Amino acid sequence: MKCKKCGAQAIIHLKQHNIALCAKHYEEFFLSRVKKAIHMFKMFDKSSKILVAVSGGKDSLVLWDVLYRLEYQTEGLYIDLGIGSYSETSKEKAKSFAKSRNLTLHIEDVRKYLHGLSTPEAAWKMRRKTCSVCGLVKRYIMNKFSHEGDYKVIATGHNLDDEAATLLGNLLHWQTGYLGKQYPVLPKTHEKLTPKVKPLILVTEKEVATFAIMKGIEYIFEECPSARGASSIVYKRLLNDLELSQPGAKQRFLMDYYKNKGIFDNAEEDSVKLNECSRCGYPTTQEVCSFCKLTERLEQKLNEKRT
Amino acid sequence: MKCKKCGAQAIIHLKQHNIALCAKHYEEFFLSRVKKAIHMFKMFDKSSKILVAVSGGKDSLVLWDVLYRLEYQTEGLYIDLGIGSYSETSKEKAKSFAKSRNLTLHIEDVRKYLHGLSTPEAAWKMRRKTCSVCGLVKRYIMNKFSHEGDYKVIATGHNLDDEAATLLGNLLHWQTGYLGKQYPVLPKTHEKLTPKVKPLILVTEKEVATFAIMKGIEYIFEECPSARGASSIVYKRLLNDLELSQPGAKQRFLMDYYKNKGIFDNAEEDSVKLNECSRCGYPTTQEVCSFCKLTERLEQKLNEKRT
Ligand SMILES: [Zn+2]
Ligand SMILES: [Zn+2]
Ligand SMILES: [Zn+2]
Ligand SMILES: [Zn+2]
């Protein structure tokens, strides 16, 4: 196939846009899609100090690479969860990516927050699933780090497939509490909460992977060994099947949801009041935040063992 | 596999209910599912005169058979659309079904309503798709016949797969005008409109087909040759894939929608006023109803040809 713009050998065929593109024009296309998302949802501008949530996977590294190419002010934050060789490898990928571009990468080790334990160790001690502890800990550290560093937004690597799959899952199970909240920009609901943005919302997983390969971005291939993922893989497969018979359907599904999401606004009481945690001062709907509860119980358990 | 109730050879394995059943106990199960739907959604009772919309396909004949077995008062209405051998065969299946059970089957020929033309002929003359003319004509004749015959409800053979696929299609395309209206009982919004009910809402297509085969119900296998169907087949396949990895998900998806459908209530202005058509007197939101508009334009076209 030939590039629609210049006639050179195409490297990718974008069925939903009905075009084939060469490497040069694919890069142009890809950057323009990210730019479009940033502007369409008013995510940030050139004056914003952006914290990129870096996992070492393709999505977060491609995101950071694109923001760097578009000359936004970015720094990365890698959270070392201490999940064996998975964490070691992904941290190395993140570090060498940042070094090669002379970008600042911050590394926070969960052990600093979890009384010296890694996420799997803490989960084990608490008899909880690693994923649930991991999610809580990542969100907390990301936000605290961002607030203390005075970043304007936290940018995450969620792509079109991720977001459409989450939406489909929430619809198939009528998770009315989540429906209506999913959006590429989560606003600042509290002075100590940094808004989160998803600049890859208009590009698919396949497009991100193609960009990563084309640019020689080295990322960690494996998924986190404790990831649930199973159900989101089902939804992604369903959406890819739909896309095969109705090219463009996946993106329309997500974009039309954004237009219509007001429907879900009063689905459930969402005027929850945010207090400041009596321990750490970060926002929570409870008296003590989930993170402080976790670390306190963890400390108790560790002390029980010692006595 | 053995029947869970009696240990005899099972004829079907119902993964979503995690049971296998023999012929006798499958019949019991199937009838109880239909009864459950009738009661749960207060569709009708033993005193109701029910008009069954009979197409000659498996769903409508199984529906009629079950209502007959449950001793409801039913009569059938077959609408002869004049679609060549498809209509001939399906009419014969409907007639012999009714005859064998000594049930009353009414037959209305669209030619009586369309100036002597069949549905495909009328569609051709009007430069419209057969399916769109067909849907309009069937709805109109069904309702008019029911109103004149003073039936309490019109029962149609839509099963769980049909309804879940329609819902998924409406969600994937955010058809907010349709979302919120889909329900197993459509209420009486006008004195001349008969409520419509869907008693097969709790049984799957596979369960209906198994019942038809088990009971030796002869139905027409082919789909209507002018049916669009293509997209609904995609949605059914997606839902069956989902069902494979999450047994029961299809039914939960539909039932949880019923519980949550209030969400969509004010999505679009749906307080449309129903007038009576200035030509035929049946309810419409316009001055002249779509059916009368169709037949009037059809008459004009036929007269043009003659002059
Ligand atoms: Zn090119
Ligand atoms: Zn706290
Ligand atoms: Zn049995
Ligand atoms: Zn009329």
Side-chain angles (χ1 to χ4, degrees):
Chain A
M1 241 172 317
K2 305 266 163 157
C3 173
K4 194 184 177 167
K5 301 255 168 157
C6 72
Q9 178 67 39
I11 62 152
I12 189 169
H13 179 216
L14 301 163
K15 234 184 155 178
Q16 77 276 33
H17 305 289
N18 201 23
I19 46 170
L21 294 171
C22 70
K24 175 170 162 268
H25 287 111
Y26 179 61
E27 177 175 346
E28 207 174 279
F29 162 85
F30 193 86
L31 295 188
S32 78
R33 295 293 290 170
V34 181
K35 255 196 272 187
K36 187 175 175 182
I38 293 168
H39 296 147
M40 185 189 279
F41 296 101
K42 299 185 177 61
M43 293 182 179
F44 44 73
D45 58 35
K46 292 281 158 80
S47 74
S48 317
K49 200 175 136 195
I50 301 162
L51 184 64
V52 181
V54 175
S55 71
K58 71 175 180 327
D59 297 300
S60 62
L61 291 182
V62 164
L63 168 63
W64 201 5
D65 186 60
V66 169
L67 296 182
Y68 163 76
R69 285 171 195 275
L70 295 174
E71 298 177 335
Y72 284 102
Q73 292 182 52
T74 57
E75 292 181 7
L77 173 59
Y78 176 89
I79 297 176
D80 187 343
L81 299 157
I83 307 180
S85 71
Y86 168 77
S87 286
E88 283 314 306
T89 310
S90 55
K91 185 165 62 184
E92 281 320 306
K93 301 289 183 191
K95 280 165 80 174
S96 69
F97 175 93
K99 198 177 169 199
S100 70
R101 283 156 182 81
N102 206 20
L103 288 162
T104 304
L105 176 68
H106 304 278
I107 296 179
E108 283 290 293
D109 195 315
V110 289
R111 296 176 187 85
K112 195 176 104 187
Y113 296 81
L114 298 175
H115 302 289
L117 301 185
S118 69
T119 318
E121 286 165 349
W124 170 254
K125 275 265 180 301
M126 300 296 296
R127 305 281 181 275
R128 284 178 61 171
K129 287 190 179 158
T130 304
C131 287
S132 92
V133 172
C134 179
L136 169 62
V137 165
K138 276 201 293 193
R139 267 194 308 279
Y140 187 84
I141 298 178
M142 191 64 69
N143 184 67
K144 184 176 159 74
F145 187 93
S146 165
H147 177 66
E148 288 171 357
D150 208 22
Y151 295 90
K152 183 85 186 297
V153 291
I154 296 170
T156 61
H158 298 88
N159 60 43
L160 175 54
D161 294 59
D162 295 329
E163 291 302 291
T166 300
L167 175 58
L168 182 59
N170 283 337
L171 282 171
L172 288 172
H173 298 102
W174 294 99
Q175 300 282 2
T176 51
Y178 292 118
L179 288 164
K181 294 210 179 96
Q182 202 187 334
Y183 203 64
V185 180
L186 295 187
K188 199 175 177 79
T189 52
H190 186 282
E191 178 259 325
K192 286 182 183 169
L193 282 179
T194 308
K196 287 184 177 171
V197 297
K198 299 170 179 171
L200 298 187
I201 201 75
L202 296 181
V203 289
T204 65
E205 201 151 280
K206 185 188 149 197
E207 286 162 14
V208 172
T210 304
F211 188 86
I213 292 161
M214 188 177 93
K215 289 294 169 193
I217 295 171
E218 283 192 45
Y219 59 89
I220 180 160
F221 289 102
E222 304 98 86
E223 295 288 316
C224 170
S226 21
R228 354 166 202 195
S231 64
S232 98
I233 287 168
V234 173
Y235 305 135
K236 285 184 180 177
R237 201 184 59 219
L238 296 185
L239 288 164
N240 283 334
D241 285 350
L242 174 72
E243 186 72 21
L244 269 183
S245 57
Q246 301 175 14
K250 193 158 60 180
Q251 186 181 319
R252 279 196 303 274
F253 169 53
L254 188 62
M255 292 300 136
D256 289 351
Y257 155 75
Y258 291 150
K259 282 181 208 138
N260 286 290
K261 84 181 190 38
I263 294 171
F264 300 104
D265 270 357
N266 291 311
E268 241 155 78
E269 200 57 65
D270 50 14
S271 59
V272 280
K273 228 189 118 240
L274 286 178
N275 321 306
E276 301 200 344
C277 169
S278 62
R279 303 291 193 275
C280 70
Y282 277 93
T284 175
T285 56
Q286 303 150 299
E287 154 75 11
V288 177
C289 81
S290 310
F291 181 81
C292 289
K293 277 187 195 157
L294 173 76
T295 52
E296 281 176 15
R297 273 188 239 130
L298 201 53
E299 197 178 6
Q300 279 169 15
K301 293 233 176 201
L302 290 169
N303 287 337
E304 280 166 25
K305 280 277 162 72
R306 271 165 212 149
T307 50
Chain B
M1 241 170 319
K2 305 264 165 165
C3 173
K4 194 181 177 170
K5 302 254 168 156
C6 71
Q9 176 69 38
I11 62 153
I12 190 169
H13 179 218
L14 301 163
K15 233 182 156 181
Q16 78 275 33
H17 306 288
N18 201 23
I19 45 169
L21 294 171
C22 69
K24 175 169 163 267
H25 287 111
Y26 180 60
E27 178 176 344
E28 206 175 280
F29 163 84
F30 193 86
L31 296 188
S32 79
R33 296 295 290 170
V34 180
K35 256 196 272 188
K36 187 175 174 182
I38 294 168
H39 296 148
M40 185 189 279
F41 296 102
K42 299 185 178 60
M43 293 183 178
F44 44 73
D45 58 36
K46 291 282 157 81
S47 74
S48 317
K49 200 174 134 196
I50 301 162
L51 185 64
V52 180
V54 176
S55 71
K58 70 174 180 329
D59 298 300
S60 61
L61 291 183
V62 164
L63 169 62
W64 202 4
D65 186 60
V66 169
L67 295 183
Y68 164 76
R69 286 172 194 274
L70 295 174
E71 299 178 334
Y72 284 104
Q73 291 181 51
T74 58
E75 291 181 8
L77 173 59
Y78 175 88
I79 296 176
D80 187 343
L81 299 157
I83 307 179
S85 70
Y86 169 76
S87 287
E88 284 313 308
T89 310
S90 55
K91 186 164 62 183
E92 281 319 306
K93 301 288 184 193
K95 280 165 81 175
S96 68
F97 174 92
K99 199 177 166 197
S100 71
R101 284 156 181 81
N102 206 19
L103 288 162
T104 303
L105 177 68
H106 304 277
I107 297 179
E108 284 289 293
D109 193 316
V110 289
R111 296 176 187 86
K112 196 176 105 186
Y113 296 82
L114 297 176
H115 304 289
L117 301 184
S118 70
T119 318
E121 285 164 349
W124 170 255
K125 276 265 180 298
M126 300 297 297
R127 304 282 180 276
R128 283 177 62 173
K129 285 188 179 161
T130 304
C131 286
S132 92
V133 172
C134 180
L136 170 62
V137 165
K138 277 201 292 194
R139 267 195 308 279
Y140 188 83
I141 298 179
M142 192 64 69
N143 184 66
K144 183 177 160 72
F145 187 92
S146 164
H147 177 65
E148 289 171 356
D150 209 23
Y151 295 90
K152 184 86 187 295
V153 292
I154 296 169
T156 61
H158 298 88
N159 60 44
L160 174 55
D161 294 58
D162 295 328
E163 293 300 294
T166 300
L167 175 59
L168 181 59
N170 284 337
L171 282 171
L172 288 171
H173 297 102
W174 293 97
Q175 299 283 2
T176 50
Y178 292 118
L179 287 164
K181 294 209 179 95
Q182 202 187 334
Y183 203 63
V185 181
L186 295 186
K188 200 176 176 77
T189 53
H190 186 283
E191 177 259 326
K192 287 183 183 170
L193 283 179
T194 309
K196 287 184 177 171
V197 297
K198 298 170 180 171
L200 298 187
I201 201 75
L202 295 182
V203 289
T204 66
E205 202 152 279
K206 184 188 149 199
E207 286 162 14
V208 172
T210 304
F211 188 85
I213 292 161
M214 188 178 92
K215 288 295 169 192
I217 295 171
E218 283 191 44
Y219 59 88
I220 181 161
F221 288 103
E222 303 99 86
E223 294 288 314
C224 171
S226 19
R228 355 168 201 196
S231 64
S232 99
I233 287 168
V234 173
Y235 305 136
K236 284 184 181 178
R237 200 184 59 218
L238 297 185
L239 287 164
N240 284 333
D241 286 350
L242 173 71
E243 186 72 21
L244 269 181
S245 58
Q246 301 175 14
K250 194 157 59 180
Q251 186 181 320
R252 280 196 302 275
F253 170 52
L254 188 61
M255 293 300 135
D256 288 351
Y257 155 75
Y258 291 149
K259 282 182 208 137
N260 286 290
K261 83 183 194 30
I263 294 171
F264 299 104
D265 269 357
N266 291 311
E268 240 154 79
E269 201 56 65
D270 51 12
S271 58
V272 280
K273 227 190 117 241
L274 286 178
N275 322 304
E276 300 200 343
C277 170
S278 61
R279 304 290 194 274
C280 70
Y282 277 93
T284 175
T285 55
Q286 303 151 299
E287 153 75 12
V288 177
C289 81
S290 309
F291 181 80
C292 289
K293 276 186 194 156
L294 173 76
T295 53
E296 281 176 14
R297 273 188 237 129
L298 200 54
E299 197 178 6
Q300 281 169 15
K301 293 233 176 202
L302 290 169
N303 287 336
E304 280 167 24
K305 278 278 160 72
R306 272 168 210 146
T307 50

